[in-house]
Amino acid sequence: MTDDRERWNEKYSTDEEFDLPDDSIPELGRRVDALPTGRALDVATGTGRNARFLASEGYDVDAVDVSDEALDRAARAARDDGVDERVTWIRSDVADFEFEASAYDVITVSYFAALDLLPDIKEALAPDGVLIYEHHLRSSDPIDIGPSNDRYRFRANDLLRACLDLTILEYRERIRLDEAGRTQAVTTLVGRNSTGGRQSYPRAAE
């Protein structure tokens, strides 16, 4: 864990090209009005963009990351946003974090490869809790944003297959442009911790 912490601390403090967006991932903002309320967990929170957004929407948020530098930046931003009292910042390698069973109404994971941890992450969902997961995809097309090594990207349908024990509310794989026109290969999954052949489905904003 120490090596990972040092590596990420250095990246956040010295890599000028490593500039994370300030806004939450688009799917979270698009769906927030249809999500269950209560407690939220942001896995590998980085500078806290999802955690701060959830806190601004009234959630009590646990936000986990290995990097002290990232969490310090996230906490400062939360204070600036006036939501710091709603967020608990937890310094931990996600692999060492003790996920509380059935504890969270919403869990977000963005751009962190955690397929091996998904059983624990899903176990932490409360009944009818919702997981929103977005990550880089491998692609044969030229891509501007994301890891240069495919080891850190998901293959087609990797995320979908890992979450088939949830009710899949949405799953997409696509090339997306950011505000600067740069290309990014992205997969997004929204899954609910519910079972049964007949269910109700929230209507998300288009």
Side-chain angles (χ1 to χ4, degrees), residues 60-176:
D60 294 316
V61 185
D62 290 340
V64 183
D65 203 277
V66 71
S67 170
D68 306 275
E69 180 69 25
L71 290 179
D72 287 346
R73 287 170 56 179
R76 289 195 299 270
R79 286 194 294 272
D80 291 342
D81 292 346
V83 298
D84 52 310
E85 292 185 358
R86 285 197 169 273
V87 186
T88 300
W89 306 103
I90 302 170
R91 288 176 172 81
S92 174
D93 190 312
V94 176
D96 297 327
F97 179 67
E98 294 187 9
F99 290 90
E100 183 181 349
S102 304
Y104 297 102
D105 302 286
V106 175
I107 297 178
T108 54
V109 190
S110 56
Y111 303 104
F112 176 69
L115 290 180
D116 57 332
L117 298 175
L118 267 172
D120 291 332
I121 292 172
K122 291 182 292 184
E123 184 71 19
L125 284 169
D128 293 323
V130 174
L131 169 67
I132 300 179
Y133 198 141
E134 186 163 285
H135 193 59
H136 303 287
L137 272 176
R138 298 179 185 182
S139 175
S140 58
D141 301 311
I143 298 299
D144 300 320
I145 300 175
S148 57
N149 190 332
D150 273 353
R151 173 186 175 188
Y152 302 107
R153 295 177 178 270
F154 291 163
R155 296 170 298 180
N157 292 324
D158 271 353
L159 184 56
L160 177 62
R161 282 191 291 266
C163 292
L164 287 177
D165 51 343
L166 302 177
T167 298
I168 304 302
L169 302 177
E170 185 161 353
Y171 182 76
R172 288 182 292 160
E173 298 182 349
R174 74 275 191 205
I175 301 295
R176 187 169 69 192

Side-chain angles (χ1 to χ4, degrees), residues 24-41:
S24 67
I25 56 174
E27 195 64 31
L28 179 56
R30 192 170 75 89
R31 286 191 171 266
V32 66
D33 290 338
L35 294 175
T37 57
R39 291 183 69 190
L41 172 67

